[in-house]
Amino acid sequence: MSLLEVRDLRVSFPTADGVVRAVRGVSFDVDAGRTIGIVGESGSGKTVLTQTLLGLTAGGQVSGQAVFDGTDLIGLGEEQLRRVRGAQIAVIFQDPLTSLHPLYKVGWQIAEMIRAHDKSVSKKQAAQRAVELLGRVGIPQPAQRVKDYPHQFSGGMRQRAMIAMALSLEPKLIIADEPTTALDATVQAQILDLLLRLQQDFGTAMIMITHDLGVVADIADDVLVMYAGRAAEVASKRDIFYKPHHPYTKGLLESIPNSSAAGGRLRPITGQPPSLINLPSGCAFHPRCAYVMDKCLTDEPSLTPVAQDGFHRSACWLPASAAGLSAEAEDQRRRTVGEGRSVAAAKIAEAIAKSPEAEGSVIA
Amino acid sequence: MAFASFVIRRLLLGVVVMWVVSVATFLLFFVAPQDPARLLAGKNPSAQEIANINRRLGLDQPILVQYWHYLIRLLHFNLGTSYFTGTSVNTILKEDLPPTLSVMAGGAVLWLIVGIGAGVLSATRARSLVDRISTTGVLIGITFPTFVVGLLLLFLVFKPLNQAGFHWIQTGYEGPSQSIVGWAGHMILPWITIAAVSAATYTRLTRGALLDALGEDYVRTARAKGLSERRVLYRHAVRAALTPVVSQLGVDIGTLAGGAVVTETVFGLGGIGQQSLTSILNGDTPVVLGIVLVAALFVVVANIVVDIAYSVLDPRVKLS
Ligand SMILES: Nc1ncnc2c1ncn2[C@@H]1O[C@H](COP(=O)(O)OP(=O)(O)OP(=O)(O)O)[C@@H](O)[C@H]1O
Ligand code: SF4
Ligand SMILES: [Mg+2]
């Protein structure tokens, strides 16, 4: 049994404009000590998905299961959830400047969390532990720096402090929500290094949320690619990079600077992310997909195995053999099997590629 | 060290401010139309009588000489004597300050408690009944001027209660030295008056600041740390929302003094407000100068205290 088993998780927010369907039936597992990378563009539901595990999506309607260490977190009472937060599952957020309380000392904030979960720890012991932790995450002179306020730390040091806090109760799982996005490139690498090293030392499992496939390449074992609140593709890191199946995954890979998949060219995915209130019919990616077929306009594909191992799964109507093929190669393949691409669909795809503002509404 | 130098610098600045204020007031009264000697001399005084009085009060001397004498006395903390009653100004202030300070201190405490409390309630229960009631209260409080609120309390609370034989609530002033409870009975309506007018602003301010804080990333962090909802609200969100409230308090100290002057007049407390009114009309310069100096001192000290409180509340703020 995995440490975390998420099944068919759905989260929607009723708003004045309509229901925002932020997460629409996502399932994935996280094994003890392993790292899963969750990638997807802004608004694809990465944060909502993971915050829901801790009951932190206020105002959302949630269904599905998230069994963590034998307990379903969904629908757990507030007090029980509180005990899981921080102690069992810790979170590292994107912007360490705004995520630390500006009016409290860094060490105090770490000690507060320790004591929130174990009243038997004295203030002094907790403060001592905060010093040790700051030292452990590479902050020089930790005994002095615990008494600093967050604004006296540099960006990288603040994120180190957040990591120290996350590790303070030796949780089984850490959710890192874009932990390096707000940092300078050089600091990013150091922080990733630190996370990786500490994760190995502590044997902690990790969910690494990012829209940077480079981060995934550095740190993840498995990858979940999200698009419009659903899992587009799930695979080992190796398969995601060498045998991507879903056209969205392929698009992501081609948009990495210097990626081998793009042959050196940089090709951003055309079009805009869809509205989560009025989703496109069929496959939510079809308005932006270069491979679109008739079926894609009407039927929504679900996650299906595309490899022998059964682990590599993709939510796309293309056959398993499309894994790793470029758009041109896929056209070539279709011609040889005589499958043919839908003319109507091809035209629509073309029209949409020309006018990115048209979004998904053309077909609906 | 930075702290001591801050206080010393601000106090020196305060002395300069008070000196400027005293000179300005002195000049103002020199050119004012009131003639204290004429008022003192009774009906149909002869020119000789008036000249005598002016000589006795030192008013026949050039202004610079008059000011010089005043300054010398001031350096000995002697504010002079009233032209009219012959009482020393120090004594007058000693009698009239307690009612005014009582109104201000109690009123400010009550308004902060009510204002912040209602603000927290209406922010945590946004759009609920509590929120609606306090929003309406804000409107009423902002709409009515101080003396109207005071008069309403007199007629709707004080009168009926006393007619019904409930005598704890009283008008007039009685110091706390005999009985704290009695003092509070005299002060409660003035305090409510002050609070009713100003608490409303603080409710709105607290509500806004708290709603902002509740949306901050660090509050999300606090929840993700596994803190209780109470602790998240009070230790993290309310704590952050207090900073703007305290800086507003610094701005409102002048308003507070003004409100206290009106309130003590409505309730017949006989404080600084009534005293300054009579003294100004009579041209009783020593008394007015004394009051102005004390008021200036109060504002100077209050502002230093607020600045210190602000820097204690927010470590990012440096005293300078
Ligand atoms: N409380 C809420 N009420 C309404 N809509 C919400 C709420 N929280 C999130 N959403 C919506 O849900 C969608 C998914 O948001 P989410 O923050 O999970 O995206 P994300 O993948 O984390 O994006 P990013 O990379 O920008 O962090 C967005 O369209 C967002 O506007
Ligand atoms: S299902 Fe169709 S539209 Fe969706 S990604 Fe696959 S090919 Fe493209
Ligand atoms: Mg996010």
Side-chain angles (χ1 to χ4, degrees), chain B residues 14-33:
Chain B
V15 168
V16 173
V17 167
M18 286 168 64
W19 177 73
V20 170
V21 167
S22 79
V23 171
T25 321
F26 204 88
L27 283 176
L28 205 62
F29 273 81
F30 196 76
V31 299

mmCIF file of all heavy atoms in Angstrom, chain B residues 14-33:
data_model
loop_
_atom_site.group_PDB
_atom_site.id
_atom_site.type_symbol
_atom_site.label_atom_id
_atom_site.label_comp_id
_atom_site.label_asym_id
_atom_site.label_seq_id
_atom_site.Cartn_x
_atom_site.Cartn_y
_atom_site.Cartn_z
ATOM 1 N N GLY B 14 10.041 68.240 20.879
ATOM 2 C CA GLY B 14 8.799 68.572 21.570
ATOM 3 C C GLY B 14 8.919 69.900 22.299
ATOM 4 O O GLY B 14 8.008 70.728 22.253
ATOM 5 N N VAL B 15 10.072 70.132 22.942
ATOM 6 C CA VAL B 15 10.281 71.386 23.663
ATOM 7 C C VAL B 15 10.214 72.557 22.689
ATOM 8 O O VAL B 15 9.570 73.580 22.949
ATOM 9 C CB VAL B 15 11.636 71.364 24.409
ATOM 10 C CG1 VAL B 15 11.984 72.759 24.900
ATOM 11 C CG2 VAL B 15 11.585 70.374 25.553
ATOM 12 N N VAL B 16 10.848 72.371 21.517
ATOM 13 C CA VAL B 16 10.815 73.425 20.506
ATOM 14 C C VAL B 16 9.371 73.695 20.073
ATOM 15 O O VAL B 16 8.914 74.844 20.013
ATOM 16 C CB VAL B 16 11.682 73.033 19.282
ATOM 17 C CG1 VAL B 16 11.503 74.050 18.163
ATOM 18 C CG2 VAL B 16 13.134 72.906 19.686
ATOM 19 N N VAL B 17 8.636 72.606 19.813
ATOM 20 C CA VAL B 17 7.239 72.746 19.395
ATOM 21 C C VAL B 17 6.460 73.538 20.446
ATOM 22 O O VAL B 17 5.724 74.484 20.140
ATOM 23 C CB VAL B 17 6.589 71.357 19.183
ATOM 24 C CG1 VAL B 17 5.073 71.487 19.073
ATOM 25 C CG2 VAL B 17 7.155 70.697 17.939
ATOM 26 N N MET B 18 6.657 73.165 21.733
ATOM 27 C CA MET B 18 5.898 73.816 22.794
ATOM 28 C C MET B 18 6.265 75.286 22.911
ATOM 29 O O MET B 18 5.418 76.139 23.151
ATOM 30 C CB MET B 18 6.134 73.093 24.120
ATOM 31 C CG MET B 18 5.394 71.767 24.169
ATOM 32 S SD MET B 18 5.904 70.740 25.535
ATOM 33 C CE MET B 18 5.389 71.734 26.902
ATOM 34 N N TRP B 19 7.550 75.586 22.690
ATOM 35 C CA TRP B 19 7.972 76.972 22.760
ATOM 36 C C TRP B 19 7.292 77.791 21.664
ATOM 37 O O TRP B 19 6.734 78.852 21.903
ATOM 38 C CB TRP B 19 9.497 77.051 22.640
ATOM 39 C CG TRP B 19 9.987 78.462 22.633
ATOM 40 C CD1 TRP B 19 10.030 79.316 23.701
ATOM 41 C CD2 TRP B 19 10.450 79.203 21.506
ATOM 42 N NE1 TRP B 19 10.494 80.528 23.310
ATOM 43 C CE2 TRP B 19 10.770 80.495 21.956
ATOM 44 C CE3 TRP B 19 10.637 78.881 20.153
ATOM 45 C CZ2 TRP B 19 11.259 81.472 21.108
ATOM 46 C CZ3 TRP B 19 11.130 79.852 19.311
ATOM 47 C CH2 TRP B 19 11.439 81.130 19.787
ATOM 48 N N VAL B 20 7.293 77.227 20.443
ATOM 49 C CA VAL B 20 6.663 77.923 19.322
ATOM 50 C C VAL B 20 5.175 78.155 19.622
ATOM 51 O O VAL B 20 4.646 79.257 19.448
ATOM 52 C CB VAL B 20 6.829 77.116 18.011
ATOM 53 C CG1 VAL B 20 5.976 77.707 16.899
ATOM 54 C CG2 VAL B 20 8.285 77.069 17.601
ATOM 55 N N VAL B 21 4.527 77.113 20.137
ATOM 56 C CA VAL B 21 3.104 77.215 20.446
ATOM 57 C C VAL B 21 2.870 78.306 21.491
ATOM 58 O O VAL B 21 1.946 79.117 21.379
ATOM 59 C CB VAL B 21 2.570 75.857 20.939
ATOM 60 C CG1 VAL B 21 1.192 76.022 21.569
ATOM 61 C CG2 VAL B 21 2.514 74.856 19.796
ATOM 62 N N SER B 22 3.747 78.364 22.515
ATOM 63 C CA SER B 22 3.544 79.354 23.576
ATOM 64 C C SER B 22 3.718 80.776 23.041
ATOM 65 O O SER B 22 2.942 81.671 23.356
ATOM 66 C CB SER B 22 4.490 79.090 24.748
ATOM 67 O OG SER B 22 5.780 79.572 24.451
ATOM 68 N N VAL B 23 4.728 80.971 22.186
ATOM 69 C CA VAL B 23 4.943 82.302 21.610
ATOM 70 C C VAL B 23 3.727 82.712 20.788
ATOM 71 O O VAL B 23 3.199 83.825 20.912
ATOM 72 C CB VAL B 23 6.210 82.318 20.728
ATOM 73 C CG1 VAL B 23 6.295 83.632 19.954
ATOM 74 C CG2 VAL B 23 7.441 82.119 21.588
ATOM 75 N N ALA B 24 3.244 81.764 19.967
ATOM 76 C CA ALA B 24 2.107 82.067 19.097
ATOM 77 C C ALA B 24 0.894 82.475 19.935
ATOM 78 O O ALA B 24 0.234 83.476 19.652
ATOM 79 C CB ALA B 24 1.783 80.857 18.226
ATOM 80 N N THR B 25 0.612 81.692 20.993
ATOM 81 C CA THR B 25 -0.552 82.002 21.826
ATOM 82 C C THR B 25 -0.383 83.358 22.504
ATOM 83 O O THR B 25 -1.307 84.166 22.576
ATOM 84 C CB THR B 25 -0.731 80.920 22.898
ATOM 85 O OG1 THR B 25 -0.447 79.654 22.318
ATOM 86 C CG2 THR B 25 -2.136 80.931 23.451
ATOM 87 N N PHE B 26 0.824 83.603 22.977
ATOM 88 C CA PHE B 26 1.112 84.855 23.673
ATOM 89 C C PHE B 26 0.816 86.052 22.767
ATOM 90 O O PHE B 26 0.129 86.995 23.146
ATOM 91 C CB PHE B 26 2.590 84.866 24.091
ATOM 92 C CG PHE B 26 2.869 85.765 25.244
ATOM 93 C CD1 PHE B 26 2.748 85.284 26.540
ATOM 94 C CD2 PHE B 26 3.229 87.093 25.046
ATOM 95 C CE1 PHE B 26 3.000 86.109 27.609
ATOM 96 C CE2 PHE B 26 3.478 87.921 26.116
ATOM 97 C CZ PHE B 26 3.362 87.437 27.405
ATOM 98 N N LEU B 27 1.320 85.950 21.518
ATOM 99 C CA LEU B 27 1.117 87.038 20.559
ATOM 100 C C LEU B 27 -0.364 87.226 20.268
ATOM 101 O O LEU B 27 -0.877 88.338 20.219
ATOM 102 C CB LEU B 27 1.871 86.728 19.256
ATOM 103 C CG LEU B 27 3.367 86.967 19.324
ATOM 104 C CD1 LEU B 27 4.021 86.538 18.007
ATOM 105 C CD2 LEU B 27 3.640 88.447 19.602
ATOM 106 N N LEU B 28 -1.039 86.070 20.093
ATOM 107 C CA LEU B 28 -2.454 86.086 19.757
ATOM 108 C C LEU B 28 -3.229 86.870 20.805
ATOM 109 O O LEU B 28 -4.088 87.694 20.496
ATOM 110 C CB LEU B 28 -2.961 84.641 19.687
ATOM 111 C CG LEU B 28 -4.183 84.417 18.805
ATOM 112 C CD1 LEU B 28 -3.840 84.775 17.374
ATOM 113 C CD2 LEU B 28 -4.600 82.964 18.900
ATOM 114 N N PHE B 29 -2.909 86.638 22.068
ATOM 115 C CA PHE B 29 -3.668 87.294 23.132
ATOM 116 C C PHE B 29 -3.288 88.756 23.280
ATOM 117 O O PHE B 29 -4.061 89.572 23.743
ATOM 118 C CB PHE B 29 -3.493 86.548 24.455
ATOM 119 C CG PHE B 29 -4.493 85.456 24.566
ATOM 120 C CD1 PHE B 29 -4.280 84.258 23.933
ATOM 121 C CD2 PHE B 29 -5.674 85.661 25.264
ATOM 122 C CE1 PHE B 29 -5.216 83.267 23.988
ATOM 123 C CE2 PHE B 29 -6.621 84.667 25.320
ATOM 124 C CZ PHE B 29 -6.399 83.466 24.688
ATOM 125 N N PHE B 30 -2.065 89.092 22.846
ATOM 126 C CA PHE B 30 -1.640 90.483 22.935
ATOM 127 C C PHE B 30 -2.441 91.353 21.975
ATOM 128 O O PHE B 30 -2.782 92.484 22.281
ATOM 129 C CB PHE B 30 -0.143 90.586 22.638
ATOM 130 C CG PHE B 30 0.445 91.881 23.079
ATOM 131 C CD1 PHE B 30 0.698 92.079 24.434
ATOM 132 C CD2 PHE B 30 0.728 92.898 22.173
ATOM 133 C CE1 PHE B 30 1.225 93.289 24.851
ATOM 134 C CE2 PHE B 30 1.265 94.094 22.600
ATOM 135 C CZ PHE B 30 1.513 94.296 23.940
ATOM 136 N N VAL B 31 -2.747 90.775 20.795
ATOM 137 C CA VAL B 31 -3.481 91.552 19.803
ATOM 138 C C VAL B 31 -4.992 91.336 19.911
ATOM 139 O O VAL B 31 -5.762 91.975 19.218
ATOM 140 C CB VAL B 31 -3.029 91.217 18.358
ATOM 141 C CG1 VAL B 31 -1.567 91.539 18.179
ATOM 142 C CG2 VAL B 31 -3.311 89.760 18.042
ATOM 143 N N ALA B 32 -5.438 90.413 20.817
ATOM 144 C CA ALA B 32 -6.867 90.097 20.916
ATOM 145 C C ALA B 32 -7.654 91.289 21.458
ATOM 146 O O ALA B 32 -7.110 92.122 22.180
ATOM 147 C CB ALA B 32 -7.057 88.893 21.824
ATOM 148 N N PRO B 33 -8.960 91.369 21.091
ATOM 149 C CA PRO B 33 -9.776 92.522 21.478
ATOM 150 C C PRO B 33 -10.110 92.562 22.973
ATOM 151 O O PRO B 33 -10.451 93.621 23.484
ATOM 152 C CB PRO B 33 -11.060 92.345 20.656
ATOM 153 C CG PRO B 33 -11.114 90.878 20.350
ATOM 154 C CD PRO B 33 -9.704 90.426 20.249
#
